[in-house]
Amino acid sequence: ADDLVLNGDAKCTACHDEGDSPEVLKIGKTRHGVRADARTPSCTSCHGDSAAHMGYKGSAKPPAPDRSFGKRSLTPVAERNEACLSCHQKDAKRSHWEGSVHQARDVACTSCHEVHTGHDKVRDKQTQAEVCFACHKEQRTQVNKPSHHPIPEGKMTCSDCHNAHGSVGPKLMKRDSVVDTCYTCHMEKRGPFVHNHEPVSEDCSNCHNPHGTVVESMLKARPPFLCHQCHTPHGGFIPQLAGAQSALNTSTNTNTTGKSKINVTQGRSCMNCHTQVHGTNNPAATNPTPQFNFR
Amino acid sequence: QADAAELTTPDSTVSVGAGIINGGKRDASLMGQYNGRRNEEAVLQLDIDSTKRDDASGVVMIIKGRDLGLESRELSFAREKQGDWKYSLDYYELVRRDPRTLNTGLTGLGTTVNNVVPLAAGTTVGSVGKPGTGADQDFKLQRIGLGLAGEKWISSNLQFEVSFKNEDKKGDRAISRGYDCAAYVCGGPSNAAITQSATNQKYALLLLDEPVNSTTKQLEIKLNYAGQGYNLSTGYYGSFYNNANGSLRAVVPNLLYNPSGNLGTLFPAVPSTVIAGGGTSLQNVLQLPMALAPDNEAHQFYLSGNAKLAPSTNINFRYAYTHATQTEDFASMGLLGAPAGVSNLGGVVDTNLLQIGITSRPLPKLSLLANVRYEDKDDHTPEALYNVEGGEILPTTTPRTYVNRSWFNYRASSTKLTGKLEASYQLPADLRGTVGLDYTSYDRPVPVSITEEELAGLGAVRAKNEENGYRLELRRSVSETFTGAIGYSNSKRTGSDWTSLSNSAAFVNAGLGYGKTAPASQFIALNATNAFPMNMADIDREKVKLSANWTPTDALEVQFYAENGTDKNSTAASAVAGGKGWRETGSSIYSIDAQYALSEAWKLTGYLSQGVQDLKVNHSTGYLADIKSNSDALGLGVVGSPTGRLEVGANVEYLNDTTKYGIAASPTNTGAAASAANLQQAAVGLPDVVYQTTTLSLFAKYTLDKKSSIKAVLVSQQAKLNEWSYGYNGVPFVYSDGTTVSLKQDQTTNFFGVAYIMKF
C-alpha cells in the first residue's frame, strides 16, 4: 500500500485510512505532515512498532499500540514525552524542560498539544488560555475581572508571559525574571530613575496580579490598603467616602488636609499625590521634593 | 467517506461578514475595553487563515488576519521551508479604551501642557462650582506593533535566529496631580500652622491627561547549536524605550474648589524667614513639571543550554549579563533644578545571572532535581544631591523654623539567590511521593546614614531576607479511570536585623537612630505601632492542594480542584497595640469541571468555581482592615451537530465577585480604646464592591457545500460594577477643578454577526 500522510505510514494507514480513522489523518495538515522535510515522523516514530497491535488477528479489540497518548493512556508520561523530545529537544526554547514544574509534575506534551489536527488549540492565541485553564482554575476566574490583560478578548495569551516548556525565571516566566518579562511591554517602568521605588524593581507582583483583579491597574488590593501594607504616614483616620461620613462635610471641618479621609480613599487614592509610584526622573532639588511625591 | 486529500491538506479559509453592536459606549465600557466593540455601530467582519504548502519542496506560506474590520486587528505573513529557513512579518493594532469617562474643563488634552479650567459659575472667591458641566472625555491607548523575524539552519546542527519588534503606543491616560501644603513650602507670610478655610485652599487634587507617545524596540539575535547530547544557545537581546514626551505640566489658576464646592484662593509661598530660600505657592507647586518615563535601554548577552551528563542525568544552565542605562537629558525632558553639574542621571545597572539545574534518575523509581539561580543587580548610577526637604530646627520655636536638607539618590541594587532540591519516588500501590526543599535569599541596600539617603513613610527596612520551605506531595493512580494528588507546602521567611529610619529622640537615645540596626522587638518596644514593609517582613506560609481526575467512561470526565493557603506576618508585634501594616493574606479555591459527550454529535461542558481572597491590613494609627473577596464563577456549554451540515453551540458564563471591606477602628498605642470619632466612622465603614458579569454566546454554522459555509454569532453581555472610587450613593468625588469621573453601573451590550466562510 502507498503512504497516505506521512513517510512510511502505510503499515498503519492500510487499516487506519480515511474510512476507518479520518481524524488521525489530519496530522497531514500539520508540520508533522510536511513530507519534504526528512525529519518529520511516521506513525511508528511516536506510537512505536506496535507488533502486538499489528499482528492481532482476533475479532475483539486489538491490544493498544506500544505508546498511546489519550486521556486514559497507560503509557508512562516520561515515555510519551520521549516520543516528542527525541526530535524537539533540539529546540532552544525547550532547553529548560527537564526540571521544570510541568515536567516534574508529569505533564505530558499531549496534555496540552493535539497532534492530529490542523488547529492545535494551545498554539492559537484565541484558544490557548482555555487549555491552560484546564489546570489553572484560579486564573480562569481572574482573567474575567474588569481589570485584566486582554486574554479573554484573544489579544494576549498565557505564552506571551510564560514559557510552559521551562524557563530560568520563576513561575515559568518567559524572560529571566518577573520584571524582565513585564518590561517587554512595559519598558517605561524599567528606569533606573532619580527616585526609585524599591519594590517595583524587585518584583511587579508585589503590587499587581497580572491575571486580573477588580481594582484598577490590576492592583492586588485597593489603595490605600495596598500602600499601607508597607507605609505608615498620614495616620489617624478611617478611610471614608464622600456621602458616607459620620461627620458631614462643611467648609473646614473634614477635608482639613489633602491627605486624609476621602482623599486617600477615593479618586486615585494615595496616587492622587504620589503619582509616579514606579519611579520618577524628576531631578528638581527644590521643595517640595519629588522624592516623596514621586512626581 | 472522507476525502483523504481534504483530510491531509492544510486548511485555508476567508471569512467575510458584518456585525452589529447594540448598546452605546457607556454600555460597553467594561466589556469593550479591548475587543473593538465599544461603540454602537455596524462593523466589518473579516478574517483570513491561509496555509498553502507545496508538497514537493515543503515550502509553506501562512497568512493570518484576525478582526481586520475592527480597531484591534492583526495580520501576519510567514513563509518557511521547514527545517531550513523561515521569515515572517506581523502587524497588529491593539486599542485599550478606559472604561471610565472624565467630565472636565481641561484644555490642552493630548499635549504636555494641560490647562486647568474650573467648572464654576463665576471666577471669584466663593463662586459656586458646577461639576458635570464640562466636556466628556473617553481616553484610549493604542498600540501599533510590527514584528520581523527570520531563522536559518546553517547546517543540520546550527541554527541562526533573528527577530525585531517595534511597538508604538499613543493616546491618553488619566494621571493625578495633588499637593497638601507642607508648613515649609506654602502657607502664608508667617509659619504658623495653616488650615483649610472657606476662602483659602490648603491642598488641591487634579486629574490631568498624560499624553502617551512612546516607542519600544526589541532585537534578538541568536545562534543555537544542537550537538550530540547537548544544546547551546548564545545571543544578544536588546530592548529600547523612547518617550517623545519628557514631562507634563499643568497651568493652574489661583482659584480652585474647596470642600464646600466654592472657589477659594490657593495658599501663597512661605517666605525666606521660614525656610532657606523661601517656599513655593500651592499654585506653583501644582504647576511644577511632572516627569514622565525617561528613555532607557538594556543590552543582554547570554549563553544557555542543556546537556545529557549520563543516560539518566541532565543539566541545564544559563548565564546572562545585562547592561541597562538611562541617560536622558533632564533639560530635554523639560525638567529643571538638577544638582549643579548634573545634566542626566547617568543611570547604569549591570545584572549578572547564573542558573544551573540538574535532573537525575539514579534508580528507576527515584527522580532527583536540583536547581540554583543567582542574580546580582548592581546599580552603578552616580550619586548626586537630588533630594531636598525642609527640616525643622529643633528645639521647636514659635513660629517654627526650618532649613533645607539634602541627600543622595537611592540606588536599587539587589542580589537574589534561589535554590531547589526535589526528590520523587515511586511507592507501592501506584503512589508517587515527592519531597521538595526551597531556599530564597534577597539582599538589598539599606541606608547607613541620614546624610547619605533618606527613605520616607516606612517604619524600618531590612538588608536581607531569607526563606526556607518544604513541600510534600502524594499522587496516586487509583485506577485507569481515577487519579488524585494531595500536596502540602510550608515555608518561613526571616531576615537580618532591621535598619532604623527614625531620628526621633527616643530612637536616638536608645542607640537606634537612623541607619542603626536591631531586631524588630526593639523597634516595637520604642514604638508600639512601628510597621514593617510586607515585602521584607517575617512570614509563615502554608498551603494545601487537592486535585482529582475521574474518567469513568470515554464520554465523561470530571475534575476536582481545591486549594487553601495563608501567609501570616510573624514579625514581632506589640501585644497591646497589635501588629501594624500587612498582617495576613489568605486564599482558597474550590472548583469542579465536567465534560460529557451525549453522543458523537453532542457534547456538554460545565464548571463551577468558588474562590476567596482575604487581606488583613492594620494602619499604624487608624484602622484595622479585613478585606475579603468572594468570586463565584459558573460556565455551561453545549456544542452539537443536529444534522450533517449544521453545527450549533451555546455558552453561558457567570461571574460574581463581591469584596467586603471590614473596617474597624484600631486601639491606641497603649491599647486604649479608639477615639470616638474613629469608632463612629468605622461604624459607617465602607460599602461592598460588587462586580457581576453574565455572557451568553450562541453560534450556528451551516455548511453550504464543500467549499463554503455561513456562520452566525450572537453574544450578549451584562456587566455590573458597583464600587466607590469616583463616587458613592450619588455623591461624586469632585476634584479641585470640578472634574468628575463616571462609569455606568449596569451595562448591557449585544453583538450579532453573520459571516460567509469560504475555503480555498
Side-chain angles (χ1 to χ4, degrees):
Chain A
D2 293 333
D3 294 336
L4 279 183
V5 192
L6 310 174
N7 292 323
D9 72 17
K11 75 190 275 192
C12 303
T13 55
C15 294
H16 299 296
D17 60 7
E18 62 269 33
D20 176 79
S21 312
E23 291 304 309
V24 303
L25 297 193
K26 288 184 178 175
I27 197 168
K29 295 176 184 287
T30 72
R31 289 163 172 268
H32 288 138
V34 181
R35 291 167 69 174
D37 180 356
R39 306 169 309 164
T40 52
S42 186
C43 309
T44 50
S45 307
C46 302
H47 292 283
D49 287 336
S50 309
H53 178 83
M54 294 276 296
Y56 183 70
K57 303 294 182 195
S59 56
K61 191 177 178 184
D66 291 351
R67 276 197 293 251
S68 59
F69 299 87
K71 283 177 184 169
R72 303 169 81 187
S73 167
L74 294 176
T75 307
V77 169
E79 196 179 320
R80 277 182 256 171
N81 288 350
E82 185 53 35
C84 306
L85 290 169
S86 60
C87 295
H88 290 286
Q89 66 187 0
K90 285 173 79 172
D91 188 335
K93 288 189 274 297
R94 294 177 184 80
S95 65
H96 283 65
W97 168 253
E98 291 290 339
S100 70
V101 170
H102 283 153
Q103 184 268 336
R105 294 293 171 275
D106 276 350
V107 176
C109 305
T110 49
S111 298
C112 307
H113 291 284
E114 291 181 80
V115 177
H116 290 269
T117 175
H119 180 245
D120 183 9
K121 275 186 182 176
V122 80
R123 298 184 68 239
D124 183 331
K125 192 159 59 172
Q126 283 195 322
T127 50
Q128 182 187 92
E130 68 181 85
V131 176
C132 302
F133 294 156
C135 295
H136 300 281
K137 308 296 185 191
E138 193 174 8
Q139 286 73 16
R140 174 173 60 190
T141 302
Q142 288 168 340
V143 299
N144 284 311
K145 294 188 178 180
S147 181
H148 61 265
H149 280 113
I151 297 165
E153 292 85 357
K155 301 299 174 188
M156 263 186 86
T157 195
C158 311
S159 62
D160 285 327
C161 301
H162 299 280
N163 183 347
H165 300 116
S167 80
V168 173
K171 306 285 183 189
L172 299 181
M173 284 283 113
K174 197 171 176 179
R175 301 220 74 96
D176 292 339
S177 65
V178 173
V179 291
D180 285 345
T181 304
C182 300
Y183 293 156
T184 59
C185 293
H186 304 283
M187 225 174 275
E188 72 277 10
K189 310 290 191 298
R190 180 164 59 192
F193 302 98
V194 169
H195 304 292
N196 296 300
H197 192 189
E198 199 257 352
V200 173
S201 47
E202 179 183 313
D203 188 339
C204 306
S205 63
N206 277 329
C207 299
H208 297 278
N209 182 339
H211 300 114
T213 73
V214 177
V215 186
E216 279 197 26
S217 304
M218 286 173 263
L219 290 173
K220 289 166 104 170
R222 181 181 295 265
F225 308 106
L226 177 81
C227 309
H228 286 169
Q229 293 179 83
C230 297
H231 293 285
T232 58
H234 313 329
F237 63 88
I238 303 282
Q240 57 190 256
L241 309 179
Q245 296 162 292
S246 61
L248 294 175
N249 273 342
T250 66
S251 63
T252 58
N253 75 346
T254 50
N255 294 323
T256 47
T257 75
K259 55 192 178 188
S260 67
K261 302 175 180 174
I262 66 168
N263 290 341
V264 292
T265 316
Q266 292 193 280
R268 298 168 76 82
S269 187
C270 304
M271 283 92 77
N272 281 330
C273 296
H274 303 279
T275 304
Q276 307 290 50
V277 291
H278 296 103
T280 174
N281 208 48
N282 194 331
T286 52
N287 266 316
T289 174
Q291 182 198 12
F292 302 141
N293 285 322
F294 278 116
R295 64 168 167 79
Chain B
Q1 181 167 311
D3 181 337
E6 192 183 335
L7 288 169
T8 58
T9 304
D11 297 319
S12 291
T13 59
V14 61
S15 170
V16 185
I20 298 170
I21 301 153
N22 165 247
K25 59 185 175 184
R26 304 282 178 263
D27 284 289
S29 78
L30 287 166
M31 307 308 285
Q33 290 180 69
Y34 294 105
N35 65 8
R37 296 177 189 164
R38 175 75 176 266
N39 297 320
E40 185 161 30
E41 60 187 357
V43 292
L44 168 70
Q45 282 189 283
L46 178 60
D47 301 272
I48 182 168
D49 187 346
S50 167
T51 302
K52 292 294 177 189
R53 184 171 73 202
D54 178 65
D55 285 333
S57 65
V59 172
V60 178
M61 186 174 73
I62 301 169
I63 299 173
K64 287 190 179 182
R66 200 168 258 171
D67 296 333
L68 295 172
L70 299 175
E71 63 185 10
S72 293
R73 53 182 62 85
E74 302 168 64
L75 184 64
S76 67
F77 169 83
R79 194 160 178 269
E80 73 172 311
K81 184 175 184 185
Q82 193 169 294
D84 189 357
W85 50 262
K86 178 181 179 179
Y87 58 88
S88 63
L89 187 148
D90 296 276
Y91 173 84
Y92 64 84
E93 296 174 22
L94 176 62
V95 177
R96 194 260 174 178
R97 290 179 178 270
D98 193 323
R100 299 180 190 278
T101 300
L102 276 69
N103 184 278
T104 183
L106 275 182
T107 63
L109 295 162
T111 74
T112 55
V113 180
N114 283 194
N115 293 293
V116 175
V117 181
L119 301 173
T123 55
T124 57
V125 171
S127 296
V128 179
K130 295 286 184 185
T133 58
D136 282 349
Q137 304 292 344
D138 292 300
F139 287 167
K140 68 175 182 180
L141 284 173
Q142 183 186 42
R143 293 170 185 262
I144 298 178
L146 182 68
L148 300 165
E151 60 185 65
K152 169 71 182 166
W153 281 93
I154 297 166
S155 70
S156 61
N157 299 97
L158 187 62
Q159 185 192 28
F160 172 75
E161 285 183 87
V162 62
S163 64
F164 173 76
K165 181 179 171 185
N166 184 91
E167 184 180 271
D168 295 326
K169 188 171 163 187
K170 288 184 178 168
D172 302 85
R173 179 161 56 198
I175 188 171
S176 298
R177 177 91 233 218
Y179 189 65
D180 176 33
C181 281
Y184 49 85
V185 177
C186 46
S190 83
N191 54 8
I194 57 168
T195 57
Q196 183 76 27
S197 73
T199 54
N200 283 106
Q201 285 279 66
K202 181 175 178 287
Y203 74 90
L205 301 180
L206 301 168
L207 197 62
L208 305 178
D209 168 26
E210 178 191 345
V212 176
N213 185 4
S214 61
T215 303
T216 58
K217 290 181 169 60
Q218 296 174 79
L219 171 68
E220 187 153 18
I221 301 167
K222 201 166 47 159
L223 268 179
N224 305 312
Y225 185 80
Q228 197 66 267
Y230 67 94
N231 295 286
L232 284 176
S233 284
T234 184
Y236 164 80
Y237 169 61
S239 51
F240 310 84
Y241 174 75
N242 180 272
N243 191 349
N245 299 323
S247 59
L248 172 64
R249 194 167 65 82
V251 177
V252 183
N254 203 31
L255 284 171
L256 289 172
Y257 275 162
N258 64 24
S260 300
N262 301 107
L263 285 181
T265 310
L266 311 186
F267 269 109
V270 296
S272 56
T273 51
V274 176
I275 187 170
T280 306
S281 69
L282 178 55
Q283 182 189 20
N284 280 344
V285 171
L286 296 170
Q287 296 190 122
L288 290 171
M290 299 160 68
L292 301 177
D295 299 349
N296 65 71
E297 59 190 63
H299 307 268
Q300 185 183 71
F301 301 90
Y302 58 83
L303 176 69
S304 65
N306 60 14
K308 193 175 274 295
L309 299 179
S312 62
T313 303
N314 295 286
I315 184 171
N316 55 40
F317 63 91
R318 181 173 175 88
Y319 170 73
Y321 166 75
T322 308
H323 179 69
T325 60
Q326 191 278 97
T327 57
E328 183 161 12
D329 186 73
F330 293 132
S332 74
M333 292 179 72
L335 300 170
L336 304 173
V342 178
S343 61
N344 68 70
L345 177 67
V348 179
V349 179
D350 289 329
T351 304
N352 282 283
L353 171 83
L354 179 64
Q355 174 270 334
I356 297 174
I358 295 177
T359 57
S360 182
R361 191 174 285 236
L363 302 169
K365 291 183 175 182
L366 177 66
S367 298
L368 299 173
L369 182 164
N371 192 77
V372 63
R373 180 183 179 280
Y374 175 79
E375 184 182 57
D376 180 34
K377 195 181 289 183
D378 198 357
D379 190 338
H380 300 297
T381 304
E383 287 186 322
L385 291 167
Y386 290 101
N387 302 302
V388 66
E389 187 183 36
E392 187 173 2
I393 294 177
L394 300 174
T396 303
T397 58
T398 303
R400 294 184 292 175
T401 51
Y402 298 84
V403 65
N404 275 335
R405 295 184 291 117
S406 303
W407 58 94
F408 294 105
N409 47 309
Y410 172 82
R411 295 185 289 189
S413 297
S414 65
T415 304
K416 188 173 186 180
L417 175 66
T418 56
K420 178 161 80 170
L421 286 172
E422 195 173 295
S424 184
Y425 191 77
Q426 188 66 48
L427 299 160
D430 277 336
L431 269 173
R432 187 165 190 87
T434 302
V435 180
L437 299 173
D438 297 291
Y439 172 81
T440 303
S441 73
Y442 191 89
D443 291 78
R444 56 178 79 78
V446 292
V448 177
S449 160
I450 197 167
T451 59
E452 290 184 21
E453 54 190 31
E454 180 168 300
L455 300 175
L458 296 167
V461 290
R462 206 172 206 183
K464 187 182 186 76
N465 278 113
E466 283 186 290
E467 183 160 347
N468 288 286
Y470 65 88
R471 291 174 280 114
L472 306 168
E473 187 185 87
L474 276 177
R475 272 178 286 159
R476 186 176 179 195
S477 296
V478 179
S479 68
E480 189 179 328
T481 60
F482 188 89
T483 57
I486 183 166
Y488 172 79
S489 63
N490 185 307
S491 72
K492 290 184 189 304
R493 186 172 78 185
T494 57
S496 59
D497 279 351
W498 291 85
T499 300
S500 173
L501 301 175
S502 173
N503 245 1
S504 71
F507 275 70
V508 171
N509 292 339
L512 202 46
Y514 199 94
K516 306 296 182 196
T517 58
S521 56
Q522 289 188 30
F523 284 81
I524 295 300
L526 290 165
N527 176 6
T529 60
N530 200 97
F532 302 95
M534 57 100 174
N535 64 324
M536 304 178 193
D538 290 352
I539 295 182
D540 287 351
R541 303 185 205 268
E542 205 171 28
K543 187 179 273 187
V544 179
K545 290 181 188 177
L546 182 69
S547 64
N549 204 319
W550 182 45
T551 316
T553 68
D554 283 337
L556 177 64
E557 181 177 6
V558 181
Q559 200 182 18
F560 174 74
Y561 183 79
E563 181 180 307
N564 189 297
T566 55
D567 287 4
K568 289 184 178 173
N569 190 333
S570 55
T571 315
S574 165
V576 176
K580 301 301 178 185
W582 170 77
R583 304 313 308 158
E584 185 178 331
T585 307
S587 71
S588 66
I589 181 167
Y590 304 93
S591 179
I592 186 163
D593 286 50
Q595 293 181 41
Y596 182 62
L598 290 165
S599 65
E600 288 225 343
W602 290 92
K603 188 176 168 190
L604 301 173
T605 57
Y607 71 85
L608 181 65
S609 129
Q610 203 267 330
V612 179
Q613 299 276 336
D614 191 13
L615 170 68
K616 292 186 173 71
V617 183
N618 295 344
H619 191 238
S620 55
T621 54
Y623 64 82
L624 312 171
D626 184 355
I627 304 165
K628 186 172 280 190
S629 297
N630 283 278
S631 290
D632 300 317
L634 170 73
L636 293 171
V638 57
V639 289
S641 182
T643 72
R645 290 186 163 210
L646 181 64
E647 289 173 64
V648 294
N651 198 62
V652 178
E653 285 197 273
Y654 170 76
L655 170 66
N656 182 358
D657 188 285
T658 301
T659 306
K660 292 190 174 297
Y661 286 81
I663 303 289
S666 62
T668 68
N669 295 2
T670 57
S675 70
N678 276 2
L679 287 167
Q680 196 177 10
Q681 186 59 48
V684 175
L686 292 173
D688 297 350
V689 169
V690 177
Y691 179 65
Q692 290 175 343
T693 61
T694 306
T695 301
L696 169 67
S697 310
L698 302 171
F699 85 87
K701 185 179 175 186
Y702 186 75
T703 302
L704 298 168
D705 53 46
K706 276 194 167 184
K707 291 288 184 188
S708 60
S709 56
I710 288 182
K711 186 175 183 180
V713 175
L714 173 68
V715 181
S716 178
Q717 296 178 306
Q718 291 182 311
K720 173 181 182 175
L721 180 59
N722 185 359
E723 63 102 48
W724 30 260
S725 289
Y726 293 95
Y728 170 66
N729 203 22
V731 182
F733 179 74
V734 183
Y735 284 90
S736 301
D737 62 345
T739 293
T740 51
V741 181
S742 63
L743 181 147
K744 190 175 179 184
Q745 203 171 89
D746 294 286
Q747 305 184 3
T748 300
T749 180
N750 302 300
F751 172 79
F752 177 69
V754 179
Y756 174 77
I757 303 165
M758 187 180 70
K759 283 187 181 179
F760 63 97

